[in-house]
């Protein structure tokens, strides 16, 4: 356990491992900022959280409720993270009551929803009373939310890879993180630009909650974060987390991310067994052929790799699908969670003629 990180419990009642529990899912898999010491979900109490997600044993257990977690986690829980991302973007009365209980137990609150707790006077009075902090991630003030696109992105000579998808909550952030980590293993200075609340909660240094931007400024904000990273650390390559999907009727963030980043390469995330759009069963999933064509046309960049979300798939189905997609689309394909990102990293490095830095070898 990293002693420099605060210990955090993640709330994901009835949704851990599901689409709307994506913030909790992501934090269990990876966090630079917090030691995740448990998950609250009464429907899966007693299970190992990471083993439930990915079949990997861990020390992160799932608890029935807040009281259960406080009684059974030996280390002091310093932070309560609201790990659900409902379509409504709002809390229930029960959620507010639970977070007040957490504050009474000495926990600061981290909130990724569009409803801002810091605007609730009575809630903030409770926080002040118990000496805890409240962070609204989508109200984050560390960036210029009103930056207009300038075109200065063209001064950035490092490749900019956008990890886009065919639906929302399909695994783009997880895939982007794994690809970034693999490129770092190859000796490249890879930087990830986070574009959603989960990545920012995980501790991303660069990025912004794109769905909290005014449309006029969204492309400029993502451009500004890439430029800031370019000026500060001069990375060899950028991996840019996508949001929503160009094919999804409810989400526009992918448009701004593609335009603002001027991405010159795409990794496309797809769930082969998903039949309808997340939260919108009246809209069927697009075909992969259509999604490839749309994303390449809109972004003016090639799809360099296809990554699979393996929900409801057996290992044999994953292997068969990888072979099928590579045969049909002639694009390197893999499941980075199950099989790693070496194939995708190799495709990116070959396309941009990037050489690994082996100077320390």
């Amino acid at each position: 356990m990293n002693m420099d990180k605060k210990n955090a419990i993640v709330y994901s009642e009835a949704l851990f491992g599901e689409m709307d529990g994506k913030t909790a899912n992501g934090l269990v898999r990876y966090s630079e900022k917090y030691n995740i010491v448990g998950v609250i979900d009464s429907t899966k109490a007693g299970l190992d959280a990471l083993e439930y997600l990915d079949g990997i044993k861990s020390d992160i257990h799932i608890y029935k409720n807040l009281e259960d977690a406080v009684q059974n986690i030996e280390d002091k829980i310093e932070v309560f993270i609201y790990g659900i991302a409902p379509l409504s973007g709002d809390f229930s009365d029960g959620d507010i009551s639970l977070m007040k209980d957490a504050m009474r137990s000495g926990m600061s609150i981290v909130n990724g929803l569009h409803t801002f707790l810091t605007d609730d006077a009575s809630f903030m009075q409770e926080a002040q009373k118990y000496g805890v902090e409240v962070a609204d991630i989508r109200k984050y003030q560390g960036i210029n939310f009103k930056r207009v696109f300038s075109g200065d992105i063209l001064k950035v000579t490092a490749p900019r890879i956008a990890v886009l998808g065919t639906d929302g909550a399909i695994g783009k952030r997880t895939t982007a993180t794994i690809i970034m980590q693999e490129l770092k293993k190859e000796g490249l200075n890879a930087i990830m630009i986070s574009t959603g609340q989960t990545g920012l909660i995980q501790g991303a240094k660069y990025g912004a909650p794109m769905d909290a931007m005014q449309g006029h400024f969204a492309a400029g904000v993502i451009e500004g974060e890439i430029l800031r990273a370019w000026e500060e650390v001069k990375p060899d390559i950028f991996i840019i987390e996508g949001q929503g999907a160009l094919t999804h009727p409810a989400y526009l963030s992918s448009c701004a991310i593609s335009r603002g980043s001027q991405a010159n390469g795409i990794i496309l995330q797809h769930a082969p067994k998903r039949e309808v759009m997340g939260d919108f069963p009246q809209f069927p999933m697009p075909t992969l052929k259509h999604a490839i064509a749309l994303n390449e046309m809109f972004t003016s960049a090639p799809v360099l790799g296809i990554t699979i979300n393996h929900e409801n798939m057996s290992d044999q189905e994953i292997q068969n699908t990888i072979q099928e997609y590579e045969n049909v689309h002639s694009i390197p394909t893999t499941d980075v969670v199950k099989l790693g990102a070496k194939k995708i990293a190799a495709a990116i490095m070959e396309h941009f003629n990037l050489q690994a830095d082996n100077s320390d070898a």
Side-chain angles (χ1 to χ4, degrees), residues 27 50 96 111 131 142 164 172 182 202 326 334 348:
L27 285 162
L50 190 56
I96 297 296
N111 161 41
L164 306 178
K172 297 179 291 291
E182 184 61 38
Q202 287 174 318
E326 291 187 337
T334 195
I348 292 170

Side-chain angles (χ1 to χ4, degrees), residues 174-195:
T174 297
T175 289
T177 300
I178 294 171
I179 292 171
M180 175 197 67
Q181 291 170 335
E182 184 61 38
L183 289 167
K184 285 185 174 182
K185 289 178 185 176
E186 292 292 336
L188 296 177
N189 180 14
I191 290 290
M192 179 169 157
I193 304 294
S194 266
T195 56

Side-chain angles (χ1 to χ4, degrees), residues 210-280:
M210 295 305 295
D211 58 3
M213 301 292 107
Q214 294 180 30
H216 182 68
F217 303 112
V221 170
I222 195 69
E223 178 192 41
E225 286 300 285
I226 294 171
L227 287 169
R228 186 165 70 89
W230 179 244
E231 292 166 1
E232 291 179 2
V233 297
K234 282 292 189 297
D236 299 315
I237 187 168
F238 290 90
I239 303 298
I240 304 154
E241 174 196 5
Q243 290 292 321
L246 291 178
T247 48
H248 202 297
Y251 307 127
L252 299 176
S253 300
S254 280
C255 303
I257 290 166
S258 296
R259 292 297 194 227
S261 69
Q262 290 293 293
N264 42 25
I266 299 168
I267 302 301
L268 190 61
Q269 178 91 357
H270 183 59
K273 285 292 191 75
R274 194 177 290 189
E275 297 181 354
V276 296
M277 291 284 190
D279 294 321
F280 290 86

Side-chain angles (χ1 to χ4, degrees), residues 7-34:
N7 296 329
I9 189 87
V10 186
Y11 177 73
S12 189
E13 176 57 30
L15 291 169
F16 184 67
E18 305 295 329
M19 184 181 300
D20 286 351
K22 64 180 184 178
T23 296
N25 304 341
L27 285 162
V28 165
R29 286 180 170 129
Y30 176 76
S31 178
E32 294 182 16
K33 190 171 184 179
Y34 300 105

Side-chain angles (χ1 to χ4, degrees), residues 235-343:
D236 299 315
I237 187 168
F238 290 90
I239 303 298
I240 304 154
E241 174 196 5
Q243 290 292 321
L246 291 178
T247 48
H248 202 297
Y251 307 127
L252 299 176
S253 300
S254 280
C255 303
I257 290 166
S258 296
R259 292 297 194 227
S261 69
Q262 290 293 293
N264 42 25
I266 299 168
I267 302 301
L268 190 61
Q269 178 91 357
H270 183 59
K273 285 292 191 75
R274 194 177 290 189
E275 297 181 354
V276 296
M277 291 284 190
D279 294 321
F280 290 86
Q282 65 271 46
F283 290 97
M285 284 285 288
T287 65
L288 188 54
K289 180 180 178 180
H290 170 72
I292 291 170
L294 176 62
N295 280 274
E296 288 190 332
M297 179 179 67
F298 187 88
T299 309
S300 300
V303 173
L304 302 177
I306 298 168
T307 49
I308 291 173
N309 177 322
H310 59 249
E311 61 188 24
N312 302 316
M313 297 179 72
S314 67
D315 289 347
Q316 189 59 56
E317 286 176 319
I318 293 169
Q319 293 293 344
N320 292 344
T321 301
I322 288 171
Q323 191 62 57
E324 175 191 349
Y325 286 177
E326 291 187 337
N327 289 342
V328 171
H329 303 291
S330 299
I331 297 173
T333 303
T334 195
D335 176 341
V336 299
V337 172
K338 288 268 190 178
L339 304 172
K342 285 187 177 297
K343 183 188 290 188

Side-chain angles (χ1 to χ4, degrees), residues 53-301:
L53 286 178
D54 299 331
I56 301 170
K57 287 189 178 297
S58 73
D59 294 324
I60 305 173
H61 300 294
I62 305 177
Y63 297 91
K64 181 179 179 180
N65 51 37
L66 181 63
E67 182 181 6
D68 182 27
V70 171
Q71 288 179 350
N72 289 285
I73 294 174
E74 294 182 2
D75 299 298
K76 177 179 172 57
I77 307 172
E78 300 166 280
V79 180
F80 177 102
I81 302 174
Y82 190 85
I84 299 174
L87 179 64
S88 67
D90 205 353
F91 301 105
S92 68
D93 291 341
D95 293 337
I96 297 296
S97 177
L98 178 62
M99 286 186 283
K100 287 183 177 180
D101 287 342
M103 290 194 293
R104 292 185 191 103
S105 295
M107 301 178 204
S108 293
I109 305 297
V110 174
N111 161 41
L113 297 194
H114 292 282
T115 299
F116 298 149
L117 295 169
T118 51
D119 290 343
D120 182 331
S122 65
F123 193 91
M124 294 308 295
Q125 285 174 0
E126 290 279 301
Q128 186 176 12
K129 177 179 178 180
Y130 295 106
V132 299
E133 298 178 350
V134 178
D136 289 318
I137 299 303
R138 281 187 166 106
K139 200 177 181 181
Y140 178 62
Q141 298 299 311
I143 59 170
N144 180 0
F145 271 22
K146 292 187 176 182
R147 186 186 187 281
V148 177
F149 182 80
S150 67
D152 286 347
I153 191 70
L154 298 181
K155 298 176 182 177
V156 176
T157 57
R160 300 174 300 282
I161 310 300
V163 180
L164 306 178
T166 55
D167 193 7
I170 203 167
K172 297 179 291 291
R173 183 199 65 257
T174 297
T175 289
T177 300
I178 294 171
I179 292 171
M180 175 197 67
Q181 291 170 335
E182 184 61 38
L183 289 167
K184 285 185 174 182
K185 289 178 185 176
E186 292 292 336
L188 296 177
N189 180 14
I191 290 290
M192 179 169 157
I193 304 294
S194 266
T195 56
Q197 76 276 12
T198 304
L200 295 171
I201 293 172
Q202 287 174 318
K205 185 176 180 181
Y206 301 102
M210 295 305 295
D211 58 3
M213 301 292 107
Q214 294 180 30
H216 182 68
F217 303 112
V221 170
I222 195 69
E223 178 192 41
E225 286 300 285
I226 294 171
L227 287 169
R228 186 165 70 89
W230 179 244
E231 292 166 1
E232 291 179 2
V233 297
K234 282 292 189 297
D236 299 315
I237 187 168
F238 290 90
I239 303 298
I240 304 154
E241 174 196 5
Q243 290 292 321
L246 291 178
T247 48
H248 202 297
Y251 307 127
L252 299 176
S253 300
S254 280
C255 303
I257 290 166
S258 296
R259 292 297 194 227
S261 69
Q262 290 293 293
N264 42 25
I266 299 168
I267 302 301
L268 190 61
Q269 178 91 357
H270 183 59
K273 285 292 191 75
R274 194 177 290 189
E275 297 181 354
V276 296
M277 291 284 190
D279 294 321
F280 290 86
Q282 65 271 46
F283 290 97
M285 284 285 288
T287 65
L288 188 54
K289 180 180 178 180
H290 170 72
I292 291 170
L294 176 62
N295 280 274
E296 288 190 332
M297 179 179 67
F298 187 88
T299 309
S300 300

